[in-house]
Amino acid sequence: MINENDKITVKAAYAAMYKFLEHEYELTNSNDIAGLLGGMSLLENGNTADPTAWADWLNAIAKASCNDCDISLQIIPAIR
Protein backbone atom coordinates (compact mmCIF):
# COMPACT_ATOMS: atom_id res chain seq x y z
CA MET A 1 0.00 0.00 0.00
CA ILE A 2 1.28 3.44 -0.85
CA ASN A 3 1.36 6.15 1.79
CA GLU A 4 0.63 9.84 1.30
CA ASN A 5 4.29 10.85 1.56
CA ASP A 6 5.72 8.08 -0.65
CA LYS A 7 7.51 9.24 -3.79
CA ILE A 8 6.98 7.74 -7.24
CA THR A 9 8.52 8.45 -10.63
CA VAL A 10 7.02 10.82 -13.17
CA LYS A 11 6.19 7.80 -15.37
CA ALA A 12 4.49 6.00 -12.49
CA ALA A 13 2.50 9.15 -11.68
CA TYR A 14 1.44 9.32 -15.34
CA ALA A 15 0.30 5.69 -15.22
CA ALA A 16 -1.59 6.40 -11.98
CA MET A 17 -3.35 9.37 -13.58
CA TYR A 18 -4.20 7.22 -16.60
CA LYS A 19 -5.67 4.50 -14.37
CA PHE A 20 -7.65 7.09 -12.40
CA LEU A 21 -9.13 8.54 -15.60
CA GLU A 22 -9.77 5.04 -16.95
CA HIS A 23 -11.80 4.27 -13.83
CA GLU A 24 -13.73 7.54 -14.20
CA TYR A 25 -14.46 6.62 -17.82
CA GLU A 26 -15.79 3.21 -16.75
CA LEU A 27 -18.14 4.97 -14.31
CA THR A 28 -19.32 7.72 -16.66
CA ASN A 29 -18.71 6.67 -20.28
CA SER A 30 -17.70 10.30 -20.84
CA ASN A 31 -16.57 11.04 -24.39
CA ASP A 32 -14.30 13.80 -23.04
CA ILE A 33 -12.47 11.35 -20.78
CA ALA A 34 -12.31 8.82 -23.61
CA GLY A 35 -10.61 11.45 -25.77
CA LEU A 36 -8.08 12.21 -23.05
CA LEU A 37 -7.31 8.52 -22.59
CA GLY A 38 -6.89 8.03 -26.32
CA GLY A 39 -4.32 10.81 -26.55
CA MET A 40 -2.57 9.69 -23.36
CA SER A 41 -2.25 6.06 -24.49
CA LEU A 42 1.27 4.88 -25.21
CA LEU A 43 2.29 3.65 -28.64
CA GLU A 44 4.69 0.75 -29.23
CA ASN A 45 7.62 3.17 -29.30
CA GLY A 46 6.69 4.51 -25.84
CA ASN A 47 5.44 7.88 -27.08
CA THR A 48 1.94 9.12 -26.35
CA ALA A 49 -0.65 8.86 -29.13
CA ASP A 50 -1.10 12.64 -28.87
CA PRO A 51 2.41 14.07 -29.23
CA THR A 52 1.61 16.96 -26.88
CA ALA A 53 0.25 14.79 -24.05
CA TRP A 54 3.65 13.98 -22.53
CA ALA A 55 4.85 17.59 -22.75
CA ASP A 56 1.59 18.75 -21.16
CA TRP A 57 2.09 16.19 -18.37
CA LEU A 58 5.65 17.38 -17.71
CA ASN A 59 4.41 20.97 -17.64
CA ALA A 60 1.75 20.00 -15.07
CA ILE A 61 4.41 18.25 -12.96
CA ALA A 62 6.59 21.38 -13.08
CA LYS A 63 3.69 23.59 -11.98
CA ALA A 64 2.72 21.24 -9.15
CA SER A 65 6.33 20.91 -8.03
CA CYS A 66 6.69 24.69 -7.65
CA ASN A 67 3.44 24.94 -5.73
CA ASP A 68 2.16 26.91 -8.73
CA CYS A 69 -1.29 25.37 -8.72
CA ASP A 70 -4.29 25.91 -6.51
CA ILE A 71 -6.40 22.77 -6.27
CA SER A 72 -8.74 24.04 -3.60
CA LEU A 73 -12.47 24.09 -4.32
CA GLN A 74 -13.61 27.55 -5.34
CA ILE A 75 -17.33 28.18 -5.61
CA ILE A 76 -18.24 31.18 -7.72
CA PRO A 77 -21.77 32.47 -7.17
CA ALA A 78 -24.00 32.47 -10.23
CA ILE A 79 -24.81 35.85 -11.69
CA ARG A 80 -28.53 36.42 -11.98
Side-chain angles (χ1 to χ4, degrees):
M1 184 73 181
I2 195 161
N3 295 309
E4 183 177 332
N5 294 320
D6 287 350
K7 294 182 181 184
I8 62 174
T9 67
V10 170
K11 285 186 177 183
Y14 185 86
M17 179 183 59
Y18 186 95
K19 288 300 185 183
F20 175 82
L21 290 172
E22 187 176 60
H23 178 71
E24 290 300 311
Y25 173 73
E26 290 168 357
L27 294 174
T28 66
N29 289 317
S30 165
N31 288 333
D32 291 335
I33 295 174
L36 281 172
L37 289 169
M40 290 173 57
S41 297
L42 298 180
L43 303 174
E44 288 182 17
N45 65 4
N47 293 335
T48 54
D50 176 349
T52 63
W54 186 252
D56 290 346
W57 173 246
L58 293 178
N59 186 42
I61 293 281
K63 286 182 179 181
S65 297
C66 322
N67 298 318
D68 190 23
C69 63
D70 180 4
I71 62 171
S72 61
L73 177 63
Q74 297 179 22
I75 300 173
I76 300 171
I79 298 174
R80 294 179 192 218

mmCIF file of all heavy atoms in Angstrom, residues 3-28:
data_model
loop_
_atom_site.group_PDB
_atom_site.id
_atom_site.type_symbol
_atom_site.label_atom_id
_atom_site.label_comp_id
_atom_site.label_asym_id
_atom_site.label_seq_id
_atom_site.Cartn_x
_atom_site.Cartn_y
_atom_site.Cartn_z
ATOM 1 N N ASN A 3 1.694 5.148 0.784
ATOM 2 C CA ASN A 3 1.358 6.149 1.789
ATOM 3 C C ASN A 3 1.387 7.537 1.168
ATOM 4 O O ASN A 3 2.015 7.761 0.127
ATOM 5 C CB ASN A 3 2.349 6.089 2.962
ATOM 6 C CG ASN A 3 2.251 4.790 3.702
ATOM 7 O OD1 ASN A 3 1.173 4.374 4.093
ATOM 8 N ND2 ASN A 3 3.377 4.119 3.886
ATOM 9 N N GLU A 4 0.756 8.480 1.810
ATOM 10 C CA GLU A 4 0.627 9.844 1.295
ATOM 11 C C GLU A 4 1.965 10.494 0.989
ATOM 12 O O GLU A 4 2.091 11.254 0.030
ATOM 13 C CB GLU A 4 -0.133 10.695 2.313
ATOM 14 C CG GLU A 4 -0.398 12.095 1.863
ATOM 15 C CD GLU A 4 -1.226 12.880 2.865
ATOM 16 O OE1 GLU A 4 -2.005 12.267 3.605
ATOM 17 O OE2 GLU A 4 -1.059 14.103 2.906
ATOM 18 N N ASN A 5 2.991 10.206 1.753
ATOM 19 C CA ASN A 5 4.293 10.850 1.564
ATOM 20 C C ASN A 5 5.279 10.031 0.744
ATOM 21 O O ASN A 5 6.422 10.438 0.584
ATOM 22 C CB ASN A 5 4.901 11.211 2.916
ATOM 23 C CG ASN A 5 4.090 12.284 3.625
ATOM 24 O OD1 ASN A 5 3.618 13.234 2.998
ATOM 25 N ND2 ASN A 5 3.903 12.138 4.923
ATOM 26 N N ASP A 6 4.854 8.875 0.211
ATOM 27 C CA ASP A 6 5.720 8.077 -0.646
ATOM 28 C C ASP A 6 5.984 8.827 -1.954
ATOM 29 O O ASP A 6 5.145 9.594 -2.421
ATOM 30 C CB ASP A 6 5.078 6.734 -0.968
ATOM 31 C CG ASP A 6 5.085 5.787 0.210
ATOM 32 O OD1 ASP A 6 5.739 6.090 1.225
ATOM 33 O OD2 ASP A 6 4.418 4.741 0.119
ATOM 34 N N LYS A 7 7.154 8.613 -2.522
ATOM 35 C CA LYS A 7 7.506 9.244 -3.794
ATOM 36 C C LYS A 7 7.474 8.198 -4.892
ATOM 37 O O LYS A 7 7.860 7.057 -4.680
ATOM 38 C CB LYS A 7 8.887 9.882 -3.697
ATOM 39 C CG LYS A 7 8.917 11.037 -2.721
ATOM 40 C CD LYS A 7 10.272 11.684 -2.666
ATOM 41 C CE LYS A 7 10.226 12.820 -1.658
ATOM 42 N NZ LYS A 7 11.471 13.553 -1.600
ATOM 43 N N ILE A 8 7.000 8.620 -6.071
ATOM 44 C CA ILE A 8 6.983 7.744 -7.239
ATOM 45 C C ILE A 8 7.589 8.520 -8.408
ATOM 46 O O ILE A 8 7.713 9.742 -8.365
ATOM 47 C CB ILE A 8 5.563 7.238 -7.580
ATOM 48 C CG1 ILE A 8 4.613 8.397 -7.926
ATOM 49 C CG2 ILE A 8 4.994 6.417 -6.434
ATOM 50 C CD1 ILE A 8 3.242 7.951 -8.407
ATOM 51 N N THR A 9 7.933 7.814 -9.459
ATOM 52 C CA THR A 9 8.521 8.450 -10.627
ATOM 53 C C THR A 9 7.457 9.220 -11.413
ATOM 54 O O THR A 9 6.249 9.003 -11.241
ATOM 55 C CB THR A 9 9.172 7.419 -11.557
ATOM 56 O OG1 THR A 9 8.130 6.586 -12.109
ATOM 57 C CG2 THR A 9 10.201 6.570 -10.831
ATOM 58 N N VAL A 10 7.927 10.079 -12.294
ATOM 59 C CA VAL A 10 7.024 10.820 -13.169
ATOM 60 C C VAL A 10 6.231 9.848 -14.038
ATOM 61 O O VAL A 10 5.028 10.021 -14.240
ATOM 62 C CB VAL A 10 7.830 11.829 -14.030
ATOM 63 C CG1 VAL A 10 6.973 12.447 -15.116
ATOM 64 C CG2 VAL A 10 8.442 12.903 -13.147
ATOM 65 N N LYS A 11 6.882 8.798 -14.531
ATOM 66 C CA LYS A 11 6.190 7.800 -15.366
ATOM 67 C C LYS A 11 5.140 7.044 -14.567
ATOM 68 O O LYS A 11 4.052 6.768 -15.061
ATOM 69 C CB LYS A 11 7.189 6.829 -15.992
ATOM 70 C CG LYS A 11 7.968 7.439 -17.129
ATOM 71 C CD LYS A 11 8.837 6.406 -17.816
ATOM 72 C CE LYS A 11 9.556 7.023 -18.998
ATOM 73 N NZ LYS A 11 10.346 6.041 -19.732
ATOM 74 N N ALA A 12 5.465 6.704 -13.325
ATOM 75 C CA ALA A 12 4.490 5.999 -12.487
ATOM 76 C C ALA A 12 3.315 6.916 -12.160
ATOM 77 O O ALA A 12 2.167 6.463 -12.122
ATOM 78 C CB ALA A 12 5.148 5.491 -11.211
ATOM 79 N N ALA A 13 3.576 8.196 -11.949
ATOM 80 C CA ALA A 13 2.499 9.147 -11.683
ATOM 81 C C ALA A 13 1.603 9.281 -12.913
ATOM 82 O O ALA A 13 0.377 9.379 -12.793
ATOM 83 C CB ALA A 13 3.078 10.502 -11.287
ATOM 84 N N TYR A 14 2.200 9.262 -14.094
ATOM 85 C CA TYR A 14 1.435 9.321 -15.344
ATOM 86 C C TYR A 14 0.528 8.100 -15.451
ATOM 87 O O TYR A 14 -0.662 8.222 -15.764
ATOM 88 C CB TYR A 14 2.402 9.389 -16.527
ATOM 89 C CG TYR A 14 1.740 9.581 -17.866
ATOM 90 C CD1 TYR A 14 1.437 10.856 -18.327
ATOM 91 C CD2 TYR A 14 1.439 8.496 -18.683
ATOM 92 C CE1 TYR A 14 0.847 11.048 -19.568
ATOM 93 C CE2 TYR A 14 0.847 8.670 -19.914
ATOM 94 C CZ TYR A 14 0.548 9.948 -20.359
ATOM 95 O OH TYR A 14 -0.043 10.128 -21.585
ATOM 96 N N ALA A 15 1.091 6.926 -15.165
ATOM 97 C CA ALA A 15 0.297 5.692 -15.216
ATOM 98 C C ALA A 15 -0.836 5.735 -14.193
ATOM 99 O O ALA A 15 -1.952 5.289 -14.475
ATOM 100 C CB ALA A 15 1.193 4.478 -14.981
ATOM 101 N N ALA A 16 -0.559 6.290 -13.012
ATOM 102 C CA ALA A 16 -1.594 6.399 -11.982
ATOM 103 C C ALA A 16 -2.713 7.326 -12.449
ATOM 104 O O ALA A 16 -3.901 7.032 -12.260
ATOM 105 C CB ALA A 16 -0.988 6.911 -10.678
ATOM 106 N N MET A 17 -2.335 8.451 -13.066
ATOM 107 C CA MET A 17 -3.353 9.367 -13.577
ATOM 108 C C MET A 17 -4.177 8.686 -14.667
ATOM 109 O O MET A 17 -5.397 8.809 -14.708
ATOM 110 C CB MET A 17 -2.719 10.642 -14.140
ATOM 111 C CG MET A 17 -3.756 11.595 -14.710
ATOM 112 S SD MET A 17 -3.097 13.080 -15.482
ATOM 113 C CE MET A 17 -2.067 12.398 -16.759
ATOM 114 N N TYR A 18 -3.500 7.928 -15.529
ATOM 115 C CA TYR A 18 -4.198 7.217 -16.598
ATOM 116 C C TYR A 18 -5.210 6.242 -16.004
ATOM 117 O O TYR A 18 -6.364 6.192 -16.430
ATOM 118 C CB TYR A 18 -3.186 6.475 -17.482
ATOM 119 C CG TYR A 18 -3.817 5.836 -18.689
ATOM 120 C CD1 TYR A 18 -3.837 6.502 -19.905
ATOM 121 C CD2 TYR A 18 -4.403 4.575 -18.613
ATOM 122 C CE1 TYR A 18 -4.425 5.935 -21.019
ATOM 123 C CE2 TYR A 18 -5.004 4.001 -19.720
ATOM 124 C CZ TYR A 18 -5.012 4.683 -20.917
ATOM 125 O OH TYR A 18 -5.609 4.124 -22.021
ATOM 126 N N LYS A 19 -4.777 5.474 -15.005
ATOM 127 C CA LYS A 19 -5.665 4.497 -14.372
ATOM 128 C C LYS A 19 -6.834 5.181 -13.676
ATOM 129 O O LYS A 19 -7.958 4.683 -13.686
ATOM 130 C CB LYS A 19 -4.896 3.603 -13.397
ATOM 131 C CG LYS A 19 -3.990 2.607 -14.088
ATOM 132 C CD LYS A 19 -4.832 1.712 -14.972
ATOM 133 C CE LYS A 19 -4.060 0.610 -15.623
ATOM 134 N NZ LYS A 19 -4.913 -0.198 -16.524
ATOM 135 N N PHE A 20 -6.583 6.339 -13.044
ATOM 136 C CA PHE A 20 -7.646 7.094 -12.401
ATOM 137 C C PHE A 20 -8.678 7.523 -13.439
ATOM 138 O O PHE A 20 -9.889 7.345 -13.255
ATOM 139 C CB PHE A 20 -7.063 8.323 -11.689
ATOM 140 C CG PHE A 20 -8.117 9.213 -11.100
ATOM 141 C CD1 PHE A 20 -8.683 8.928 -9.864
ATOM 142 C CD2 PHE A 20 -8.565 10.333 -11.787
ATOM 143 C CE1 PHE A 20 -9.665 9.739 -9.321
ATOM 144 C CE2 PHE A 20 -9.548 11.150 -11.256
ATOM 145 C CZ PHE A 20 -10.101 10.847 -10.017
ATOM 146 N N LEU A 21 -8.210 8.095 -14.551
ATOM 147 C CA LEU A 21 -9.126 8.535 -15.602
ATOM 148 C C LEU A 21 -9.846 7.357 -16.253
ATOM 149 O O LEU A 21 -11.025 7.462 -16.603
ATOM 150 C CB LEU A 21 -8.375 9.346 -16.660
ATOM 151 C CG LEU A 21 -7.905 10.721 -16.209
ATOM 152 C CD1 LEU A 21 -7.008 11.350 -17.270
ATOM 153 C CD2 LEU A 21 -9.078 11.623 -15.880
ATOM 154 N N GLU A 22 -9.156 6.240 -16.396
ATOM 155 C CA GLU A 22 -9.768 5.038 -16.952
ATOM 156 C C GLU A 22 -10.939 4.587 -16.074
ATOM 157 O O GLU A 22 -12.007 4.227 -16.585
ATOM 158 C CB GLU A 22 -8.710 3.943 -17.071
ATOM 159 C CG GLU A 22 -9.169 2.693 -17.779
ATOM 160 C CD GLU A 22 -8.017 1.713 -17.922
ATOM 161 O OE1 GLU A 22 -7.457 1.291 -16.887
ATOM 162 O OE2 GLU A 22 -7.695 1.378 -19.067
ATOM 163 N N HIS A 23 -10.738 4.629 -14.769
ATOM 164 C CA HIS A 23 -11.804 4.270 -13.830
ATOM 165 C C HIS A 23 -12.977 5.249 -13.945
ATOM 166 O O HIS A 23 -14.146 4.835 -13.966
ATOM 167 C CB HIS A 23 -11.266 4.244 -12.398
ATOM 168 C CG HIS A 23 -12.307 3.942 -11.383
ATOM 169 N ND1 HIS A 23 -12.884 2.693 -11.246
ATOM 170 C CD2 HIS A 23 -12.889 4.731 -10.455
ATOM 171 C CE1 HIS A 23 -13.783 2.734 -10.280
ATOM 172 N NE2 HIS A 23 -13.801 3.961 -9.780
ATOM 173 N N GLU A 24 -12.676 6.539 -14.036
ATOM 174 C CA GLU A 24 -13.735 7.539 -14.202
ATOM 175 C C GLU A 24 -14.499 7.307 -15.502
ATOM 176 O O GLU A 24 -15.718 7.468 -15.556
ATOM 177 C CB GLU A 24 -13.158 8.957 -14.166
ATOM 178 C CG GLU A 24 -12.662 9.376 -12.811
ATOM 179 C CD GLU A 24 -13.743 9.353 -11.738
ATOM 180 O OE1 GLU A 24 -14.844 9.907 -11.983
ATOM 181 O OE2 GLU A 24 -13.490 8.786 -10.664
ATOM 182 N N TYR A 25 -13.788 6.921 -16.554
ATOM 183 C CA TYR A 25 -14.456 6.616 -17.819
ATOM 184 C C TYR A 25 -15.395 5.425 -17.653
ATOM 185 O O TYR A 25 -16.530 5.448 -18.139
ATOM 186 C CB TYR A 25 -13.447 6.339 -18.940
ATOM 187 C CG TYR A 25 -14.147 5.866 -20.181
ATOM 188 C CD1 TYR A 25 -14.876 6.763 -20.959
ATOM 189 C CD2 TYR A 25 -14.135 4.532 -20.546
ATOM 190 C CE1 TYR A 25 -15.571 6.335 -22.077
ATOM 191 C CE2 TYR A 25 -14.832 4.098 -21.667
ATOM 192 C CZ TYR A 25 -15.550 4.993 -22.425
ATOM 193 O OH TYR A 25 -16.249 4.571 -23.527
ATOM 194 N N GLU A 26 -14.938 4.390 -16.963
ATOM 195 C CA GLU A 26 -15.786 3.212 -16.747
ATOM 196 C C GLU A 26 -17.062 3.572 -15.985
ATOM 197 O O GLU A 26 -18.120 2.988 -16.217
ATOM 198 C CB GLU A 26 -15.009 2.132 -15.999
ATOM 199 C CG GLU A 26 -13.917 1.510 -16.841
ATOM 200 C CD GLU A 26 -12.954 0.642 -16.045
ATOM 201 O OE1 GLU A 26 -13.079 0.554 -14.810
ATOM 202 O OE2 GLU A 26 -12.051 0.069 -16.688
ATOM 203 N N LEU A 27 -16.970 4.544 -15.088
ATOM 204 C CA LEU A 27 -18.137 4.969 -14.309
ATOM 205 C C LEU A 27 -19.079 5.870 -15.102
ATOM 206 O O LEU A 27 -20.293 5.845 -14.890
ATOM 207 C CB LEU A 27 -17.693 5.722 -13.045
ATOM 208 C CG LEU A 27 -16.929 4.916 -11.995
ATOM 209 C CD1 LEU A 27 -16.430 5.837 -10.888
ATOM 210 C CD2 LEU A 27 -17.806 3.813 -11.423
ATOM 211 N N THR A 28 -18.528 6.676 -16.014
ATOM 212 C CA THR A 28 -19.321 7.719 -16.663
ATOM 213 C C THR A 28 -19.546 7.540 -18.162
ATOM 214 O O THR A 28 -20.461 8.142 -18.717
ATOM 215 C CB THR A 28 -18.648 9.089 -16.463
ATOM 216 O OG1 THR A 28 -17.390 9.082 -17.160
ATOM 217 C CG2 THR A 28 -18.445 9.409 -14.994
#
